């Protein structure tokens, strides 16, 4: 039995009509649905909670990826992966890996410095630091505290762990401080070094991920600027679909578990893929509908760069032209929390984002979590 989202659907560009077509199958569902073939898969349960934060803007963006380029050919030769499989299944051609001694905080600091330079401010102006990551340098202290020290900031610093949705969670958190006047200049970073948490010879997972960091400087803006509608969501019932089962308080590290490779990232790729397609499509539709706009009104769609098939399918269902979608997945891979700010930086430098534009950002990943926001630039 096929998911309704894997079938060809004739849809109007009108958001309301599209959502009506998908509504019966994508909402009010239990977290797991038994299927006739015996396969039980997690369904996107959705959320009816929406929020709005205006009065802030993104002053500048900075990004950084390591210098080491790892091509598909290198992985295929080294680990015996099937030739051409990576590009066919993911759209990825190459990715960047952190060098020896290069950690998540190092990538975050470099991205932050570039954002600070672009904003024409000094580190002394920053009064809040938030880092979205699920590959921290250490379990304790937080990566944000390490970044704070390296940048010599006089600011509170905290990590937010929402995996590939981490930047959206961090952005919304920072925006709250700015909008309420409790921060004048917030530094928000998404950074991950995924190459250290995947088993190198795992063909299902290792080729997907790369390393990188992206940072934005938030400041007060007009009442029209900011997130005119956003939704953060979570469904812990799907936590086991994408996790690192060893290394926490439940299953502390032991030499035996490390020898078995249990500390590496594990993923049920098939079901994560199905969930992600539903999550992206429905959350985007819901936010646009709540905001009272259509896809025509949006200047640019910036989606988490997980898999080109997820992005392409969602855009096809939503009837969004490729000219409105910015992708760098082929060159950088899945950089988790860094994914969205990396795309934002590239698109902004190319003039694809202008003041007053509506930009739709959507992150989704382990937890399971998602964060979708419509921002007036």
């Amino acid at each position: 039995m096929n998911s309704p989202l894997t079938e060809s659907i004739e849809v109007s560009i009108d958001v309301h009509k599209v959502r009506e077509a998908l509504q019966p199958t994508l909402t009010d569902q239990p977290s797991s649905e038994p299927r006739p073939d015996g396969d039980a898969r997690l369904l996107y349960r959705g959320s009816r909670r929406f929020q709005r934060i205006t009065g802030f803007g993104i002053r500048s963006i900075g990004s950084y990826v390591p210098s080491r380029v790892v091509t598909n050919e290198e992985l295929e030769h080294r680990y015996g992966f099937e030739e051409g499989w990576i590009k066919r299944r993911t759209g990825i051609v190459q990715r960047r890996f952190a060098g020896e001694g290069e950690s998540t905080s190092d990538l975050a600091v470099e991205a932050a410095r570039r954002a600070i330079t672009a904003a024409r401010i000094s580190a002394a102006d920053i009064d809040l630091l938030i880092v979205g990551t699920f590959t921290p340098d250490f379990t304790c202290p937080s990566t944000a505290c390490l970044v704070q020290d390296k940048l010599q900031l006089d600011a509170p610093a905290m990590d937010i762990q929402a995996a590939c949705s981490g930047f959206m969670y961090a952005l919304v958190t920072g925006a709250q401080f700015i909008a309420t006047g409790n921060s004048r200049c917030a530094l928000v970073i998404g950074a991950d070094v995924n190459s250290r948490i995947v088993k190198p010879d795992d063909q299902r997972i290792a080729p997907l991920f790369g390393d990188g960091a992206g940072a934005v400087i938030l400041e007060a803006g007009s009442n029209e600027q900011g997130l005119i509608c956003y939704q953060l969501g979570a469904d812990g019932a799907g936590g086991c679909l994408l996790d690192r089962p060893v290394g926490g308080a439940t299953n502390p590290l032991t030499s035996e578990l490390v020898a078995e490779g249990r500390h590496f990232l594990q993923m049920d790729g098939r079901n994560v893929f199905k969930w992600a397609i539903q999550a992206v499509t429905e959350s985007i539709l819901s936010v646009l509908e709540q905001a009272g706009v259509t896809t025509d009104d949006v200047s640019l769609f910036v989606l988490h760069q997980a898999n080109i098939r997820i992005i392409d399918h969602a855009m096809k269902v939503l009837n969004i032209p490729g000219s409105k979608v910015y992708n760098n997945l082929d060159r950088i891979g899945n950089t988790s929390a860094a994914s969205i700010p990396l795309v934002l930086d590239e698109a902004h430098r190319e003039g694809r984002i202008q003041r007053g534009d509506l930009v739709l950002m959507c992150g989704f990943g382990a937890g399971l979590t998602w964060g979708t926001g419509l921002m007036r630039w």
Side-chain angles (χ1 to χ4, degrees), residues 262-330:
R262 297 287 305 283
H263 60 300
F264 288 123
L265 189 68
Q266 300 182 14
M267 178 171 66
D268 179 346
R270 183 167 181 254
N271 283 318
V272 168
F273 181 86
K274 293 175 181 177
W275 175 86
I277 286 178
Q278 293 182 327
V280 171
T281 307
E282 174 64 6
S283 67
I284 289 176
L285 285 171
S286 297
V287 166
L288 293 179
E289 181 186 49
Q290 186 71 18
V293 302
T294 73
T295 54
D296 282 338
D297 300 312
V298 179
S299 299
L300 192 68
F301 290 82
V302 177
L303 275 64
H304 166 49
Q305 305 287 289
N307 187 311
I308 197 63
R309 293 193 299 150
I310 295 173
I311 297 171
D312 286 349
H313 193 95
M315 297 303 97
K316 180 180 179 181
V317 170
L318 296 171
N319 202 15
I320 297 169
S323 60
K324 285 194 171 188
V325 185
Y326 195 104
N327 297 318
N328 59 15
L329 177 73
D330 59 329

Side-chain angles (χ1 to χ4, degrees), residues 18-310:
V18 178
R19 195 170 191 278
E20 286 173 5
L22 298 174
Q23 183 79 20
T25 56
L26 293 183
T27 59
D28 295 326
Q29 296 279 4
S31 61
S32 182
E33 175 191 86
R35 299 173 61 194
D37 59 8
D39 177 30
R41 65 182 178 88
L42 194 82
L43 295 175
Y44 173 71
R45 290 165 47 163
S47 172
R48 292 185 177 85
R49 300 182 185 275
F50 301 91
Q51 288 80 29
R52 173 186 175 96
I53 315 174
T54 56
F56 82 95
I58 293 178
R59 176 164 177 162
S60 67
I61 316 171
S63 64
Y64 174 75
V65 291
S67 59
R68 182 187 171 194
V69 177
V70 180
T71 64
N72 290 350
E73 290 75 17
E74 179 180 340
L75 294 178
E76 290 166 357
H77 176 74
R78 185 184 304 172
Y79 300 114
F81 294 164
E82 178 185 344
E83 184 178 355
W85 179 90
I86 301 171
K87 184 177 180 180
R88 289 196 307 271
R89 301 292 291 179
T90 69
I92 299 170
V93 176
Q94 63 183 39
R95 72 286 296 145
R96 301 296 185 96
F97 280 4
E100 184 177 352
E102 198 171 30
S103 62
T104 299
S105 65
D106 295 321
L107 273 58
V109 165
E110 186 57 39
R113 285 176 174 153
R114 296 181 181 189
I116 291 170
T117 298
R120 297 180 181 178
I121 61 174
S122 71
D125 296 313
I126 297 170
D127 57 14
L128 175 67
L129 169 62
I130 305 173
V131 176
T133 185
F134 83 142
T135 60
D137 287 23
F138 307 104
T139 303
C140 177
S142 71
T143 298
C145 281
L146 301 176
V147 173
Q148 177 270 329
D149 179 56
K150 292 177 181 180
L151 293 175
Q152 290 297 288
L153 305 181
D154 177 12
M158 58 180 162
D159 285 0
I160 289 185
Q161 207 279 58
C164 300
S165 306
F167 176 76
M168 291 304 298
Y169 272 64
L171 176 66
V172 167
T173 303
Q176 307 277 357
F177 280 84
I178 294 290
T180 57
N182 289 304
S183 170
R184 294 173 58 88
C185 185
L187 172 59
V188 176
I189 304 173
D192 277 304
V193 176
N194 296 306
S195 61
R196 304 270 168 77
I197 67 167
V198 297
K199 191 175 182 180
D201 60 353
D202 187 339
Q203 182 169 346
R204 301 167 304 164
I205 300 178
L208 306 178
F209 292 98
D211 305 334
V216 296
I217 301 288
L218 305 183
E219 65 177 4
S222 71
N223 291 333
E224 291 74 35
Q225 281 183 285
L227 290 165
I228 64 173
C229 184
Y230 75 90
Q231 180 185 81
L232 299 181
D235 186 357
C240 61
L241 298 181
L242 182 55
D243 67 354
R244 295 177 68 193
V246 169
T250 299
N251 296 307
L253 280 173
T254 66
S255 57
E256 292 79 12
L257 291 172
V258 171
E260 294 171 9
R262 297 287 305 283
H263 60 300
F264 288 123
L265 189 68
Q266 300 182 14
M267 178 171 66
D268 179 346
R270 183 167 181 254
N271 283 318
V272 168
F273 181 86
K274 293 175 181 177
W275 175 86
I277 286 178
Q278 293 182 327
V280 171
T281 307
E282 174 64 6
S283 67
I284 289 176
L285 285 171
S286 297
V287 166
L288 293 179
E289 181 186 49
Q290 186 71 18
V293 302
T294 73
T295 54
D296 282 338
D297 300 312
V298 179
S299 299
L300 192 68
F301 290 82
V302 177
L303 275 64
H304 166 49
Q305 305 287 289
N307 187 311
I308 197 63
R309 293 193 299 150
I310 295 173

